[in-house]
Amino acid sequence: ARGRVVVVGGGFGGATAARVLHRAGLAVTLVEPAETYLACPFSNEVIAGLRPLSAQAFGYEGVRASGVTLARTSAEAVDGATRQVRLADGTTLDYDRLILSPGIALRFDALSGYDAAAAGVMPHAWKAGAQTELLARQLAAMPEGGTVVLSVPGNPYRCPPGPYERASLIAWFLKTRKPRAKLIVLDAKDTFSKQKLFESAWKALYPGTLEYVPLASGGQVTAVDPGEMSVATDFETYKADVACIIPPQRAAPIAAQAGVADRSGWCPVDPVTFESRLMPRIHVVGDAAIAGAMPKSAFAANAQAKVCAEAVIDLLAERTPSAPKLINTCYSLVAPGYGISVAGVYHPDKGVLADIEGAGGTSPVDAPDSVRRQEAAYAEDWYRTITAAVFG
Ligand code: FAD
C-alpha cells in the first residue's frame, strides 16, 4: 500500500494503529512527546500501595524496533486543508491520512475551585504518573481515623468503572491499614458500570468504611476549596483529610485545534472507519472519540485502533472498508484477589457503534470466591498481554 500516515499520541490507541500500519508496509510516523508511557489500568493498585508505579511504565524501544518512525515531540497544530501536522520541534509532516489518539484533558473550568493548582492538593490521578504517586503518598500519610472524599463526574469520562475500582481499593487500604478511617464517595450520577457487583462487594467487604452517595442523595459535587480541604454539594460540605477529585473531561487539546471536536468537547466519528464527521482524512480513536456504546477504555482504544488502521489501509488502496465488530472487556479489582468484569460486542448500526444485545454481560452477582480469584488473575493476564502487544 502507498501513502503517508501520521499518528498523534503513543498510548493504547496510537501505538497500536502505528504498528498495524507499519506491518502493512505503509510509511508511518508516530508523534509522542513522552519517553515513557505510564499506563492507567492497574494504577488504582499503585494508589492503594499494592504495586509500584514502575509496573505502569513502558518505553518505546519495542515500537521503534518494530520499524515505526517515532517523532519524540508533540503535535502543535493540524491543517486539514493542506494536510499537514506542525510539530513542537519546528518540523512539519505531510499526511494522506492522519490518526489522532491523544486521550483526554481534565477540564479545569468545570468545577468551581478545581483548577490545575487545586489538583496539586486534591489529586485527580486520572492520568498516571505524578498524580498517582501524590494520591498514594497522601493516603499513606493520612492520620488514623481520617476521612477520604472521592468525587466522581457524570458521563462520559475515561474508564467508566475506574472510580468505583478506586473506591474499592482505597476502602481496602483503609480497612487494612487505618481501620477507623472512612471513605465518602460523592457521585454526580445514580447508575454506573458493574453497579450490582460493586455494591454487593462493598456491603460484604467494606461496611462502615465506604459510604456511597449517589446524585439522588445529593452526591453531585458543585465546588471544592483546596485551602479548607472541603468538598461541597448543594446540600452539605464535607471536610476531607485526603480528597481525590475526578473532574469532567474532554478530548485532549489537539482535537479541538484540528477541528475534529464538537461542542461536547469529544470527537464524532464514522463507526466503520473512525474518520472524523467534521474533517475529512482525519481519524480519531480511543478516549477522544465518541464511539457510541463503547466505553473509553484501553481495551476499546486498542480495538478501535486496529479497525481504524485497517480502514485507512483500505482507503489508501481505494478499497471500501468492511463493517467491523469490536469487543471490549473491562476488569476491576474490588480487593486483592477479587476481580469482576463487564464485556460487550459492538457493530455499526444506523451510523453509530451499537451494543450487540445479548453478546456481552457482567460477572455473575452470586459467585464463589474462586470465580472472583480467577477474574483477578484474568485481569493481570489481560494487562500483561495488551501492554506486550502495544509496547513490547
Ligand atoms: P492515552 O492512553 O491517554 O494516550 C494518549 C497519548 O497521546 C499520550 O501518550 C499523550 O502523551 C499523547 N498526546 C496527547 N496530545 C498529544 C499531542 N498534541 N501530540 C503528541 N502526542 C500527544 N482501561 C482498560 O481497558 N482497563 C482498565 O482496567 C482501565 N483502568 C483504568 C484505571 C484508571 C484509574 C484510569 C484513569 C483509566 C483506566 N483505563 C482502563 C482507561 C485507559 O487508561 C484509557 O481508556 C486509555 O489510556 C485510552 O487510550 P488513548 O490512546 O485514547 O489515550
Side-chain angles (χ1 to χ4, degrees), residues 7-15 31-34 36-44 47 60 71 73-76 87 101-104 125-128 158-159 161-163 165-166 252-254 285-289 295-302 328-332 382 386 391:
V7 180
V8 171
F12 283 101
V31 184
E32 167 62 57
T36 304
Y37 179 77
L38 289 165
C40 286
F42 276 90
S43 65
N44 286 328
I47 289 163
Y60 287 97
T73 181
S74 56
E76 276 196 343
L87 307 184
S101 188
I104 60 158
W126 220 239
K127 288 189 179 187
R158 158 176 284 182
C159 195
E165 179 186 67
R166 177 168 296 179
I254 193 69
V285 296
D287 287 358
K296 298 187 187 302
S297 74
F299 196 123
N302 173 256
N328 176 67
T329 306
C330 282
Y331 295 98
S332 300
W382 168 78
I386 193 165
F391 300 105

Side-chain angles (χ1 to χ4, degrees), residues 140-343:
M142 191 181 76
E144 170 61 275
T147 300
V148 183
V149 174
L150 171 64
S151 164
V152 185
N155 292 321
Y157 61 92
R158 158 176 284 182
C159 195
Y164 310 97
E165 179 186 67
R166 177 168 296 179
S168 306
L169 293 179
I170 290 177
W172 176 83
F173 173 82
L174 298 180
K175 184 179 151 181
T176 53
R177 307 289 169 75
K178 311 190 188 240
R180 287 188 292 111
K182 260 191 172 326
L183 167 65
I184 301 167
V185 181
L186 301 173
D187 201 341
K189 56 194 176 303
D190 286 318
T191 57
F192 60 88
S193 176
K194 291 178 268 193
Q195 185 160 6
K196 279 202 182 113
L197 289 158
F198 275 115
E199 288 185 335
S200 76
W202 292 346
K203 221 167 123 190
L205 299 177
Y206 309 125
T209 302
L210 192 163
E211 183 193 343
Y212 176 71
V213 187
L215 173 68
S217 307
Q220 179 163 24
V221 171
T222 50
V224 302
D225 185 336
E228 293 290 318
M229 281 301 284
S230 65
V231 180
T233 65
D234 282 339
F235 304 93
E236 215 168 314
T237 298
Y238 298 83
K239 283 288 268 183
D241 294 287
V242 173
C244 170
I245 307 296
I246 306 167
Q249 297 147 33
R250 62 169 157 246
I254 193 69
Q257 196 290 325
V260 295
D262 70 14
R263 285 173 59 190
S264 72
W266 305 102
C267 307
V269 294
D270 176 271
V272 176
T273 61
F274 290 87
E275 186 165 2
S276 168
R277 295 269 192 214
L278 305 176
M279 276 289 204
R281 291 177 184 264
I282 303 180
H283 302 248
V284 186
V285 296
D287 287 358
I290 300 173
M294 286 193 93
K296 298 187 187 302
S297 74
F299 196 123
N302 173 256
Q304 292 165 7
K306 289 179 196 163
V307 165
C308 175
E310 294 295 346
V312 163
I313 293 164
D314 281 339
L315 290 166
L316 288 172
E318 291 176 6
R319 289 188 300 260
T320 306
S322 49
K325 283 202 172 59
L326 297 103
I327 301 179
N328 176 67
T329 306
C330 282
Y331 295 98
S332 300
L333 290 172
V334 174
Y338 188 132
I340 56 176
S341 66
V342 57

